[in-house]
Amino acid sequence: MPIVVQKYGGSSLADAASIKRVARRITEAKKAGNDVCVAVSAMGDSTDELLDLANEVSPQPPPREMDMLLTAGERISMSLVAMAIADLGYTVRSFTGSQAGVITDSTHGKARIIDVTPGRVTDALEKGHIVIVAGFQGVSQDTKEITTLGRGGTDTTAVALAAALGADVCEIYTDVDGVFTADPRIVPAARKINRISNEEMLELAASGSKVLHLRSVEYARRFAIPIHVRSSFSAKEGTIVTDAPVPTTTAGDTVEAPIIAGVAHDRSEAKITVVGVPDHPGKAAEIFQTCADAEINIDMIVQNVSATDTGLTDISFTCPKTDGQTGVHALKKVQESVGFGSIQYDDQIGKLSLVGAGMRSHPGVSATFFKALADTGVNIEMISTSEIRISVVTRADLLDDAVRAVHTAFGLDSADGEAVVYGGSGR
Amino acid sequence: MPIVVQKYGGSSLADAASIKRVARRITEAKKAGNDVCVAVSAMGDSTDELLDLANEVSPQPPPREMDMLLTAGERISMSLVAMAIADLGYTVRSFTGSQAGVITDSTHGKARIIDVTPGRVTDALEKGHIVIVAGFQGVSQDTKEITTLGRGGTDTTAVALAAALGADVCEIYTDVDGVFTADPRIVPAARKINRISNEEMLELAASGSKVLHLRSVEYARRFAIPIHVRSSFSAKEGTIVTDAPVPTTTAGDTVEAPIIAGVAHDRSEAKITVVGVPDHPGKAAEIFQTCADAEINIDMIVQNVSATDTGLTDISFTCPKTDGQTGVHALKKVQESVGFGSIQYDDQIGKLSLVGAGMRSHPGVSATFFKALADTGVNIEMISTSEIRISVVTRADLLDDAVRAVHTAFGLDSADGEAVVYGGSGR
């Protein structure tokens, strides 16, 4: 029997009525002849409510206890979904992450899945039960402590279960119709993407697109699990994330993939500039080792050319705002030993990223990109590129204008719909 | 180092401020030089809120899923209490019932503790941590499913942990000052009992006193764990439940135990009468086997003398109202095979119980008891006795008057304070 893994996020599970709606949707997949395993997030805003409670009790709760607390959220939603399914006449079993065999490392709050040993899930599926698994959580391999995977972790739970169960597809149900060429709240003309490669989806997710959790895409790519991102509020086809060959049309033509997949933005990062770093080999390594020891996730890094007369240079990098103060604090401790002058902290930045596998073979993308930004009067503070992505840091308050300008410049607006062809050379 | 086990109920953990207060109380016990292990209930009304959610989703949720849902409540409170303790500068570990080694049978919703294997708790205590355990829950021995112990089960968790850890005392913190001679809401003159035997406490708990969970007292008696019932809102000494010899006073006299420990009442039962049962051997057994198969907890049983001309008799019994409809339903199924006439169901009854180990050696107790009820105009519908208890069933609306009358008749009111001496013979 084909196995389908589904995932429902908190916005699809806001109250009893939503839970019953999701239950009907789940039973439809079962009725259609599939074995069905479902990963669920906590209901609506319940994770935020638990966080608020924690903050009322303690300004800096121990991460282990925070994970104990937060995992209650999925426990509640999974059992309620199971009850609603039972009420429709199906047999069902709910399992916590630990019971479902989601084994992680020991990093509380942002644990990584090491392995999935889904014995109890498989047994239940073989007995014909629908299985509901608490997303976002697991149990650490060494210490048997309860861990959480970080915000959005339920996507990764779903994909990891799909891989471990040998599922045909992992359906990620959300409150939007799929992955868009840009955030429709900022770019009303954004279009739904029907099909996107893992590589492009990875870059979009890493660049601030919140539809899929970054690690879920990495996991899906590694195990070649197709992800179908779709709305839990409609029956429409959503976005398929897969590296499988593009299917041919009924006329026998292959569909040409567009050059640009989409424009992502991210307002969650801050910029730290280490000013007056001695321009010797090894100094940058000392700085980033300090950040690594403090478990700061570094994103973009820029080092300016050393001013020849001072022997000093400035190093800027971006990291999640939530890690910002930790980073500043950790760096101040090594100020004397590294020998830099000062630290600047700036959390009023925005990041814009243009993503598309077609960039590789189409020169002129960066010229169009920078011209669009220049025409909109957006000043660029940092630039970083990958083979299929260009990212820039701007002032936060100009970010929305920048996203719209770039989206239009690359012909992504739904009104015209045609991809732009470039004649220039290089980026 | 002496080990103290404490238990805090939901009313002591209603909000963040209460949780911080409880945390301070816990750390005081640690500061005083004890190893401290604490069992906690869910916050305030949160269990009822989860039950409401479940009922919104399904009228008859699977018991397994109900246990999954409800155990989220203690998970939340235990981690918040742990956070508040960490905030006071102590190291702390919270454990679910399963993690703490609370092994139960598989009866979801009212599981019994079979064993406690507190390896993780002991390790944590040995490392100097304060340990917080989720009350009310465990894991089944055979199926490794999450179970709950039923309302009030956290008392039993605490006592079971105290026994497994070899604790010196199990302190049950609640919102009243201890065990009273009657419910102070009904009898304002009720007095706090300073010391009571396990046997008396068992009878009081079985008769409707809600201060301690019945099974926790059974457990404490079996393992000779002294229970100290006291208020989490004051530093006053509460009630010691123990079978240890009564201590001598400083003057060398032993304290005379009072004849009557207290008056309990219970409004949670219903009466089922099986009318027209053939008066043959084995018929009562058939009826109560049916109830046992349906897992109905039978309390009082009365069989009237058979009317000689019909060969039929009536059998009445009481059971929890929550089991009532299940009982009626189960009995209707065997109506033909047992051959009885009809079933009457009455949930407007109240039960009053007088409890005291002194009854054994003091004749005349029952005469005083029934006279007090008669003088108050209370009609008696059923009577049941043990060696140290007399219970009667009355109309529910007369129960409060009956409790007050009996409390006064036995000199339990705090105003006069002296125990009554009986001259009569027999009960």
Side-chain angles (χ1 to χ4, degrees):
Chain A
M1 201 177 273
I3 297 176
V4 169
V5 172
Q6 299 185 336
K7 176 257 173 174
Y8 293 90
S11 57
S12 305
L13 301 166
D15 52 24
S18 318
I19 286 172
K20 288 171 152 179
R21 190 173 50 75
V22 163
R24 282 192 294 275
R25 187 119 197 182
I26 293 169
T27 57
E28 279 163 21
K30 176 75 181 168
K31 216 184 306 178
N34 302 291
D35 278 344
V36 184
C37 174
V38 180
V40 294
S41 301
M43 290 173 70
D45 301 323
S46 61
T47 300
D48 289 330
E49 287 164 18
L50 291 174
L51 283 170
D52 288 346
L53 260 178
N55 288 330
E56 278 183 64
V57 165
S58 165
Q60 283 214 311
R64 175 192 186 278
E65 300 302 330
M66 192 58 115
D67 280 358
M68 278 288 195
L69 178 70
L70 294 184
T71 46
E74 289 76 33
R75 190 181 194 92
I76 290 170
S77 58
M78 78 173 188
S79 45
L80 290 171
V81 170
M83 289 175 190
I85 288 173
D87 201 48
L88 296 172
Y90 291 79
T91 63
V92 59
R93 294 287 181 277
S94 70
F95 295 108
T96 64
S98 171
Q99 291 177 332
V102 178
I103 314 291
T104 73
D105 63 22
S106 319
T107 318
H108 287 291
K110 43 185 175 184
R112 296 185 78 94
I113 295 177
I114 294 172
D115 194 11
V116 179
T117 53
R120 291 180 76 165
V121 173
T122 310
D123 283 355
L125 290 175
E126 278 171 3
K127 286 180 182 140
H129 305 316
I130 293 170
V131 171
I132 314 295
V133 175
F136 173 70
Q137 55 179 255
V139 61
S140 69
Q141 191 166 41
D142 305 332
T143 53
K144 309 293 173 219
E145 296 284 8
I146 301 302
T147 54
T148 63
L149 311 177
R151 286 262 160 171
T154 305
D155 290 352
T156 307
T157 301
V159 173
L161 281 167
L165 297 171
D168 298 281
V169 65
C170 182
E171 298 181 335
I172 305 282
Y173 285 90
T174 177
D175 54 357
V176 294
D177 283 339
V179 182
F180 278 72
T181 51
D183 185 338
R185 283 167 300 185
I186 292 176
V187 185
R191 291 183 304 192
K192 191 187 76 187
I193 300 168
N194 291 324
R195 191 183 173 90
I196 188 171
S197 68
N198 277 301
E199 188 181 31
E200 288 169 312
M201 192 65 234
L202 269 178
E203 291 280 10
L204 281 179
S207 303
S209 163
K210 290 183 184 61
V211 181
L212 280 179
H213 194 218
L214 175 62
R215 296 218 303 270
S216 71
V217 187
E218 291 172 347
Y219 218 103
R221 179 166 68 167
R222 181 142 50 105
F223 293 94
I225 302 290
I227 296 180
H228 186 181
V229 182
R230 59 194 306 192
S231 169
S232 72
F233 297 90
S234 82
K236 275 187 237 173
E237 288 285 304
T239 300
I240 306 280
V241 185
T242 179
D243 290 335
V246 177
T248 52
T249 64
T250 45
D253 305 321
T254 58
V255 179
E256 179 77 21
I259 296 165
I260 298 300
V263 183
H265 71 279
D266 191 349
R267 237 180 270 273
S268 71
E269 295 195 342
K271 182 171 72 169
I272 294 176
T273 303
V274 188
V275 179
V277 181
D279 196 10
H280 306 149
K283 286 299 170 188
E286 285 176 43
I287 286 169
F288 292 111
Q289 186 60 50
T290 302
C291 292
D293 292 346
E295 301 203 34
I296 310 291
N297 280 316
I298 304 290
D299 181 22
M300 292 166 74
I301 301 176
V302 168
Q303 180 178 351
N304 297 346
V305 175
S306 172
T308 47
D309 53 347
T310 62
L312 298 175
T313 184
D314 299 341
I315 296 178
S316 293
F317 62 88
T318 65
C319 67
K321 278 180 190 167
T322 48
D323 288 350
Q325 289 306 329
T326 312
V328 169
H329 195 73
L331 286 170
K332 278 196 176 147
K333 282 197 195 155
V334 299
Q335 180 162 4
E336 206 160 321
S337 63
V338 177
F340 60 80
S342 63
I343 295 175
Q344 287 169 4
Y345 181 71
D346 179 359
D347 60 5
Q348 295 301 309
I349 63 164
K351 187 175 77 168
L352 182 157
S353 303
L354 184 72
V355 173
M359 274 186 206
R360 282 201 190 94
S361 49
H362 287 83
V365 167
S366 50
T368 306
F369 178 69
F370 290 117
K371 181 166 188 310
L373 292 174
D375 290 350
T376 319
V378 174
N379 192 40
I380 296 169
E381 303 184 16
M382 293 173 85
I383 302 174
S384 125
T385 60
S386 81
E387 260 202 291
I388 66 163
R389 175 183 52 78
I390 313 175
S391 300
V392 293
V393 165
T394 69
R395 286 293 88 197
D397 55 0
L398 293 177
L399 187 60
D400 289 0
D401 287 344
V403 169
R404 281 188 285 265
V406 171
H407 196 267
T408 303
F410 283 91
L412 295 171
D413 292 356
S414 56
D416 50 21
E418 286 303 308
V420 172
V421 177
Y422 307 94
S425 68
R427 291 214 298 240
Chain B
M1 199 176 273
I3 297 176
V4 169
V5 173
Q6 299 185 335
K7 176 257 174 174
Y8 293 90
S11 56
S12 304
L13 302 166
D15 52 25
S18 317
I19 285 172
K20 288 171 151 179
R21 192 171 51 75
V22 163
R24 282 191 295 276
R25 186 120 200 179
I26 293 169
T27 57
E28 279 162 24
K30 176 74 180 169
K31 215 183 305 176
N34 301 291
D35 277 346
V36 184
C37 173
V38 180
V40 294
S41 301
M43 289 174 72
D45 301 324
S46 61
T47 299
D48 289 330
E49 287 163 17
L50 291 173
L51 283 170
D52 288 347
L53 260 178
N55 288 331
E56 278 183 66
V57 164
S58 164
Q60 283 214 310
R64 176 193 186 278
E65 300 302 330
M66 192 57 115
D67 280 358
M68 278 290 196
L69 178 70
L70 294 184
T71 47
E74 288 76 33
R75 189 181 195 92
I76 291 170
S77 58
M78 77 173 189
S79 46
L80 290 172
V81 170
M83 290 174 189
I85 289 173
D87 201 46
L88 296 172
Y90 292 78
T91 64
V92 60
R93 293 288 181 276
S94 71
F95 295 109
T96 65
S98 171
Q99 291 176 330
V102 179
I103 314 291
T104 73
D105 63 22
S106 320
T107 318
H108 286 292
K110 44 184 174 183
R112 297 184 77 93
I113 296 177
I114 294 172
D115 194 10
V116 180
T117 53
R120 292 182 75 165
V121 173
T122 309
D123 282 355
L125 290 176
E126 279 170 4
K127 287 180 181 142
H129 304 316
I130 293 171
V131 170
I132 314 294
V133 175
F136 174 71
Q137 56 179 255
V139 61
S140 68
Q141 190 165 41
D142 305 333
T143 52
K144 308 295 172 219
E145 296 284 7
I146 301 303
T147 54
T148 63
L149 310 177
R151 285 263 160 170
T154 304
D155 290 351
T156 307
T157 302
V159 173
L161 283 166
L165 298 170
D168 296 282
V169 65
C170 181
E171 297 181 336
I172 306 280
Y173 285 89
T174 176
D175 53 358
V176 293
D177 284 338
V179 182
F180 278 72
T181 51
D183 185 335
R185 284 168 299 185
I186 292 177
V187 185
R191 292 181 304 189
K192 191 187 75 189
I193 301 168
N194 292 322
R195 192 183 171 89
I196 188 172
S197 68
N198 276 301
E199 188 182 31
E200 287 170 314
M201 192 65 234
L202 269 179
E203 291 281 10
L204 282 179
S207 303
S209 164
K210 290 184 184 61
V211 182
L212 280 178
H213 194 217
L214 175 61
R215 295 216 305 269
S216 71
V217 187
E218 291 172 347
Y219 218 103
R221 179 164 70 165
R222 182 143 50 105
F223 292 95
I225 301 292
I227 296 179
H228 186 180
V229 183
R230 59 194 308 189
S231 169
S232 72
F233 296 91
S234 82
K236 276 188 240 176
E237 289 285 302
T239 301
I240 306 281
V241 185
T242 179
D243 291 336
V246 177
T248 53
T249 64
T250 47
D253 306 320
T254 57
V255 178
E256 179 77 19
I259 297 166
I260 298 301
V263 183
H265 70 277
D266 191 349
R267 238 179 269 273
S268 71
E269 295 195 341
K271 182 172 71 170
I272 293 177
T273 303
V274 188
V275 180
V277 181
D279 196 7
H280 306 149
K283 286 300 170 189
E286 285 178 43
I287 285 168
F288 292 109
Q289 187 59 49
T290 302
C291 291
D293 292 346
E295 300 203 36
I296 310 292
N297 280 315
I298 305 290
D299 180 23
M300 293 165 73
I301 301 177
V302 169
Q303 181 176 351
N304 297 346
V305 174
S306 171
T308 46
D309 53 347
T310 62
L312 298 175
T313 184
D314 298 341
I315 296 177
S316 293
F317 63 89
T318 63
C319 67
K321 278 180 191 167
T322 48
D323 288 350
Q325 290 306 329
T326 313
V328 169
H329 195 72
L331 286 170
K332 277 195 177 149
K333 281 196 195 156
V334 298
Q335 179 163 7
E336 205 160 321
S337 63
V338 177
F340 60 80
S342 63
I343 295 174
Q344 288 170 4
Y345 180 71
D346 179 359
D347 60 5
Q348 294 302 309
I349 63 164
K351 187 175 76 164
L352 181 157
S353 303
L354 184 71
V355 172
M359 273 186 206
R360 283 200 191 95
S361 49
H362 286 84
V365 167
S366 51
T368 306
F369 178 70
F370 290 118
K371 181 167 189 306
L373 292 175
D375 289 351
T376 320
V378 173
N379 192 40
I380 296 168
E381 304 185 15
M382 292 172 87
I383 303 174
S384 124
T385 60
S386 81
E387 260 201 292
I388 65 162
R389 176 184 50 79
I390 313 175
S391 300
V392 294
V393 165
T394 70
R395 286 292 90 197
D397 56 1
L398 293 178
L399 187 60
D400 289 359
D401 288 342
V403 170
R404 280 187 285 265
V406 171
H407 197 267
T408 303
F410 283 91
L412 295 171
D413 292 355
S414 55
D416 49 21
E418 288 300 309
V420 173
V421 177
Y422 307 96
S425 67
R427 294 212 297 238

